Amino acid sequence: MMVPATEAVGAASIPAKRGALRRILDMLGVQNVSLLIALAVLVAFIGSQNSNFFYSSNIATVGTTVAIVGILAVIQTVVMLLGGLDISVSSQAGLTSVVSAMVFTASHSALAGIATAFVVGLATGLLNGVIIVYGRVNAVIATLATLAAYRGLANLISNGRAQGYVGVDQVFIFLARGTLAGIPVLIWILALVALVTQLLLHYTDIGRNIYAVGGNATAARLAGIPLNRYILGVYVLCGLVSALAGILLTARTGSGQPTSGSQGLELQCITAAALGGCSMQGGKGTIVGTILAVILLGVLQNGLIILDVNSFWQDIAQGALLVIAVVIQQRRSGARSVGLPA
Amino acid sequence: MNQQSAAPVLIMTGVSKRFAGVQALKEVSLSAHAGEVLALMGENGAGKSTLLKVMTGNYIPDAGQIMIDGAPVHLTTPGDARRLGIRVVPQEPEIIPYVSVAENIYAGALPTRGRLFNRAALRARVAADIERSGFSGMIDPDQLGNTLSPAQRQIVEILRALSGPLRVLAFDEPTSSLSDHEADSLFRLIARLTDSGVAVIYVSHRMKEILRIATRVLVLRDGQTVGVRPARETSESELVRLMVGRDLSALYHRSARQPGAVVLSVDKISSADIHDVTFTVRSGEVVVLAGLVGAGRTELARAIIGDVPITAGQIRMDGKVLHLASPRDAVRAGLCLAPEERKAQALLMKRSVRDNISLAVLQSLSRWHIIRRGAERRLAAESVAALHIRTPSLEQEVATLSGGNQQKTVLARWLARQSRLMILDEPTRGVDVGAKADIYAIIDRLASAGAAILVISSELPEVLGLADRIVVMQHGTVSGTLDRADATEEKILSLAILERAA
Ligand SMILES: Nc1ncnc2c1ncn2[C@@H]1O[C@H](COP(=O)(O)OP(=O)(O)OP(=O)(O)O)[C@@H](O)[C@H]1O
Ligand SMILES: [Mg+2]
């Protein structure tokens, strides 16, 4: 009853015959290669217009400005892999930023401020998850609602003003301006978040199950994966990472900011994830792609500033990129107007 | 079947198509005459669907020529082929979920009154189409896309293909989701189409229906034509030999096994769609659930694994009453269901073959949540070998596998689980003869090792070949049970169809 087994074996040896370049391309994926090319072109263009771009101080600036968007984009990737979306990340960051500064002011302890911020992030993330899972509310609608609500709460407890001054505390100074081995702490934090997430997604059953839930929820359910637990867990994780972003925001600006600095981060991190190859339908996307997209966006923003382009153009460029990214996604996934007469 | 016109409507010559790592088609030539049924056969992954996709402009071939009525044509989009009257009823129906059947069929060409969409006219037109094509009573124009059964989805695709000009109509495994009754309607439709001069191309793994309706049979192997035979002059065994390159001994393999203790006992259970169902499955036993499509077999399977709530009755496993709130509880209790619809219910289309196979056993493959990749690869490689899944590598995206190989991947996932009780819903849908035999052998081996197996099947030869016992369902309840020894196709059919005395 044996069908010739040569097929699988014979075909498997084909890739070996292809060139090394081809193999590297396959490993990186078309998506990432196109991001790298776009990045190279952009860097070459900006550099040729203004060589200040290559100063190490400027490169460090790019790195630290992308750090906060970066960690949010990484966690947004995880949410999107699960087939969800969290628009409320920016107001969770704003709320936790205010909370961390206020608790610091009251207790004079940076650790107390940071710990409280994480507790608040856990609570806001959990609330998002509960609304989505038990309220059966679409993730976009649910987090759009909490985007407004958490921002309102942040303004309410802070009277809409910046809170406290943390610029005197060693911990916050270290987070904002410290370096380790010559590299800014902010960049280390981004690298750490990205690395841990990457390991989680690729080497653990939890990560695989996240891909499964987003890729085909029915299949995941039949395979015995507890869907609700995964959805709740990922939104809680998103709340915690947003709290980390809020803490870094406090550290960078020196005070708790209810809206300034965080507003718009949701658009930026979703743009980065989409540009990096995350599918809006879930189940597809990589951390490497997202990080490359974050760098691309950071360089673009930095370049526009260096080249003295009107800042309103930056918003337009950002919006345009999001649309382009999604259009490319749809094309590549072969989403056609199915079976319709031409 | 009918008189053929001399000149073929469609001629394809030297068509080749290569995908990364796979030569799907290699210099394939084909001609289809008006009024004939040309059958395409070949193992899973032989290139049948790819050939049809080239014909409809979905894929652009690397080499080769396509001619319609003797004139070369360039098909670069499905629209080109459609305008020339070439239509395909695809292997995987594409249905718009929250839209009515009528709108699904005429999407993009809806009748209008002025600028307004004329719902009444559309309904009437679709009702007439259904009547004319012989599917009356099987589908309702107002039904929403997401509520359609696999058979109904297939019918929507067929009706879609019939709208507009038609010269060549290809069916890609249409009967794999149709019951015998629906299949008969399809065969009558095909006869009418050929009478009116349409060239029909027909892909199927079912030998009997091919010998019944085809004029000629073209066999593909590994993307190459290995022969064209007039259907009248060929036989099952010759076709099998052409397809797999050797003789098949026995399709069904049965080792002598003695059923042991009762593993699953279903006691008077009811749910939304089934009522008062009672039967048992013993260790080492293969029980087949037979019946018409829509008899409630899939519903029953879902009720058993806790996917739909049970309103009355009890399910016991090894004598203990089960309280299942979700399939998760079932999986943990040692039950599993390999579902019927591979695309919607089972596959992670964008993930690798390896990921798909290991999904249900990840926990046992990991330590401290870290997946032991070596063990995972070994499991996947063994499954690919055991089921002869044709894939360039374990890392291949499942979406690019042929339909039958996707089906085998689903099965591999659940076989890896080695549950005490396995429910396999239409396990061989779209699978070629050779692979069917492999799957039957695996089922036999699992049963010999003591597993209890419940198979849902609509193919009577398969029901008879596999079963130790046959439970026939009708209208959501059990209409009778037959032992292997005294089961015949007629008895099963009469239990499945005949109205029972009240
Ligand atoms: N888009 C694609 N990318 C890569 N490989 C592909 C793609 N489509 C098909 N293939 C490969 O081409 C080969 C032929 O596939 P095809 O779908 O034509 O088989 P088939 O004869 O229809 O099989 P089945 O009976 O299982 O439906 C297979 O090996 C398949 O894996
Ligand atoms: Mg096919």
Side-chain angles (χ1 to χ4, degrees), chain B residues 212-278:
Chain B
R212 171 172 158 199
I213 69 167
T215 322
R216 288 184 304 143
V217 185
L218 185 151
V219 181
L220 289 176
R221 177 161 23 132
D222 296 336
Q224 283 175 287
T225 313
V226 286
V228 185
R229 295 280 183 279
R232 254 181 256 266
E233 294 161 26
T234 187
S235 63
E236 283 197 28
S237 53
E238 185 191 21
L239 291 176
V240 170
R241 202 161 50 242
L242 283 173
M243 272 194 287
V244 301
R246 71 204 147 77
D247 286 306
L248 272 186
S249 45
L251 190 55
Y252 299 98
H253 182 80
R254 288 180 61 86
S255 36
R257 46 187 145 83
Q258 270 305 316
V262 171
V263 173
L264 176 80
S265 114
V266 172
D267 193 9
K268 295 203 170 82
I269 65 165
S270 300
S271 78
D273 298 291
I274 55 171
H275 52 271
D276 209 20
V277 173
T278 303

Side-chain angles (χ1 to χ4, degrees), chain B residues 91-156:
Chain B
Q91 194 166 8
E92 307 282 352
E94 300 271 15
I95 303 292
I96 314 167
Y98 298 100
V99 156
S100 74
V101 162
E103 287 157 75
N104 253 298
I105 294 171
Y106 281 102
L110 296 169
T112 52
R113 194 194 290 132
R115 291 246 40 122
L116 293 176
F117 155 49
N118 187 344
R119 190 176 296 275
L122 175 68
R123 248 200 123 266
R125 192 197 288 181
V126 173
D129 286 347
I130 293 175
E131 181 72 43
R132 191 149 29 85
S133 50
F135 292 117
S136 22
M138 296 175 201
I139 192 164
D140 170 6
D142 290 328
Q143 226 175 320
L144 292 187
N146 57 322
T147 65
L148 298 177
S149 70
Q152 290 173 321
R153 293 161 158 267
Q154 193 74 45
I155 293 173
V156 169

Side-chain angles (χ1 to χ4, degrees), chain A residues 280-299:
Chain A
M280 289 288 164
Q281 287 84 37
K284 184 161 174 278
T286 61
I287 297 298
V288 176
T290 298
I291 290 292
L292 283 175
V294 165
I295 296 173
L296 183 68
L297 288 173
V299 168

Side-chain angles (χ1 to χ4, degrees), chain A residues 1-15 17-18 22 26 81 199-227 229-230 279-286 329 332-334 336-342, chain B residues 18 20-22 43 58 78-79 82-83 87 94 96 107-109 160 222 244 246 248-251 305-308 326-328 331 337 339 342-348 350-351 354-355 358-360 362-363 366 369-371 373 376 384 388-393 413-414 417 434-435 437-438:
Chain A
M1 216 53 335
M2 295 290 292
V3 177
T6 51
E7 176 68 15
V9 180
S13 63
I14 291 173
K17 273 185 263 163
R18 283 183 289 164
R22 187 60 201 253
D26 281 353
L81 281 178
L199 294 180
L200 178 84
L201 288 178
H202 271 263
Y203 294 97
T204 70
D205 57 344
I206 300 171
R208 287 291 184 74
N209 289 347
I210 288 174
Y211 275 102
V213 172
N216 188 338
T218 311
R221 188 174 144 80
L222 289 178
I225 299 170
L227 299 192
R229 220 182 287 168
Y230 270 85
S279 146
M280 289 288 164
Q281 287 84 37
K284 184 161 174 278
T286 61
Q329 283 307 319
R332 279 171 44 85
S333 72
R336 257 186 310 238
S337 27
V338 288
L340 309 184
Chain B
R18 187 178 171 80
V22 186
E43 293 179 288
N58 275 297
R82 201 175 292 131
R83 273 187 293 278
R87 300 297 292 257
E94 300 271 15
I96 314 167
R160 236 182 225 161
D222 296 336
V244 301
R246 71 204 147 77
L248 272 186
S249 45
L251 190 55
I305 62 148
D307 200 23
V308 293
S326 72
R328 176 172 171 75
V331 168
L337 166 66
R342 51 182 176 249
K343 203 169 169 187
Q345 305 175 322
L347 291 171
L348 311 175
K350 292 168 193 153
R351 307 292 290 172
R354 173 178 51 79
D355 274 10
S358 65
L359 184 70
L362 277 180
Q363 212 164 22
S366 356
H369 288 293
I370 311 282
I371 298 169
R373 304 200 128 208
E376 188 194 20
V384 164
H388 301 298
I389 299 173
R390 271 177 196 230
T391 171
S393 80
R413 172 191 301 165
W414 292 108
R417 183 88 213 168
D438 294 334

Side-chain angles (χ1 to χ4, degrees), chain A residues 7, chain B residues 17-25 41-53 59 91 172-173 203-205 220 222-223 342 390-392 396-408 430-432:
Chain A
E7 176 68 15
Chain B
K17 176 77 192 169
R18 187 178 171 80
F19 297 108
V22 186
Q23 185 75 42
L25 293 174
M41 296 199 79
E43 293 179 288
N44 296 130
K48 305 177 296 293
S49 299
T50 307
L51 189 60
L52 298 191
K53 285 183 186 155
Y59 290 153
Q91 194 166 8
D172 198 351
E173 298 189 35
V203 176
S204 176
H205 291 292
L220 289 176
D222 296 336
R342 51 182 176 249
R390 271 177 196 230
T391 171
Q396 185 78 4
E397 207 176 87
V398 159
T400 68
L401 296 192
S402 79
N405 286 300
Q406 291 179 355
Q407 180 68 27
K408 291 190 250 172
V431 163
D432 69 47

Side-chain angles (χ1 to χ4, degrees), chain A residues 10-312:
Chain A
S13 63
I14 291 173
K17 273 185 263 163
R18 283 183 289 164
L21 182 67
R22 187 60 201 253
R23 247 178 304 157
I24 293 169
L25 284 183
D26 281 353
M27 216 168 66
L28 279 170
V30 186
Q31 179 85 27
N32 295 346
V33 172
S34 33
L35 282 173
L36 277 173
I37 293 172
L39 190 59
V41 170
L42 194 62
V43 165
F45 176 73
I46 299 170
S48 71
Q49 299 294 308
N50 187 337
S51 58
N52 289 350
F53 177 78
F54 293 115
Y55 285 171
S56 61
S57 61
N58 186 51
I59 290 174
T61 308
V62 174
T64 48
T65 42
V66 300
I68 292 178
V69 188
I71 60 173
L72 289 177
V74 166
I75 195 66
Q76 193 69 252
T77 302
V78 178
V79 179
M80 284 169 74
L81 281 178
L82 197 79
L85 198 68
D86 191 344
I87 307 177
S88 72
V89 283
S90 60
S91 52
Q92 295 188 72
L95 178 62
T96 48
S97 169
V98 170
V99 167
S100 65
M102 289 174 79
V103 172
F104 171 76
T105 312
S107 68
H108 300 289
S109 154
L111 289 184
I114 289 172
T116 320
F118 277 123
V119 171
V120 170
L122 187 141
T124 53
L126 185 64
L127 182 60
N128 280 340
V130 166
I131 294 172
I132 291 164
V133 169
Y134 297 105
R136 299 189 174 280
V137 181
N138 172 286
V140 175
I141 303 298
T143 56
L144 194 59
T146 55
L147 171 76
Y150 296 156
R151 177 157 299 153
L153 188 60
N155 279 321
L156 193 67
I157 60 174
S158 66
N159 267 322
R161 284 194 296 271
Q163 291 294 312
Y165 182 67
V166 303
V168 290
D169 184 88
Q170 285 310 313
V171 176
F172 282 113
I173 291 173
F174 175 71
L175 288 178
R177 289 194 293 277
T179 57
L180 282 173
I183 295 172
V185 169
L186 279 169
I187 296 179
W188 278 113
I189 293 177
L190 171 60
L192 193 69
V193 169
L195 184 71
V196 169
T197 313
Q198 171 75 4
L199 294 180
L200 178 84
L201 288 178
H202 271 263
Y203 294 97
T204 70
D205 57 344
I206 300 171
R208 287 291 184 74
N209 289 347
I210 288 174
Y211 275 102
V213 172
N216 188 338
T218 311
R221 188 174 144 80
L222 289 178
I225 299 170
L227 299 192
N228 290 353
R229 220 182 287 168
Y230 270 85
I231 298 171
L232 282 175
V234 163
Y235 279 95
V236 165
L237 202 62
C238 192
L240 290 172
V241 174
S242 300
L244 176 61
I247 293 161
L248 295 180
L249 207 60
T250 304
R252 283 202 68 194
T253 56
S255 54
Q257 302 285 351
T259 51
S260 94
S262 60
Q263 209 158 15
L265 284 178
E266 73 284 341
L267 175 64
Q268 293 181 29
C269 72
I270 293 170
T271 306
L275 197 60
C278 280
S279 146
M280 289 288 164
Q281 287 84 37
K284 184 161 174 278
T286 61
I287 297 298
V288 176
T290 298
I291 290 292
L292 283 175
V294 165
I295 296 173
L296 183 68
L297 288 173
V299 168
L300 181 69
Q301 202 174 15
N302 179 267
L304 291 174
I305 293 169
I306 285 192
L307 303 182
D308 230 359
V309 177
N310 180 334
S311 74
F312 297 134

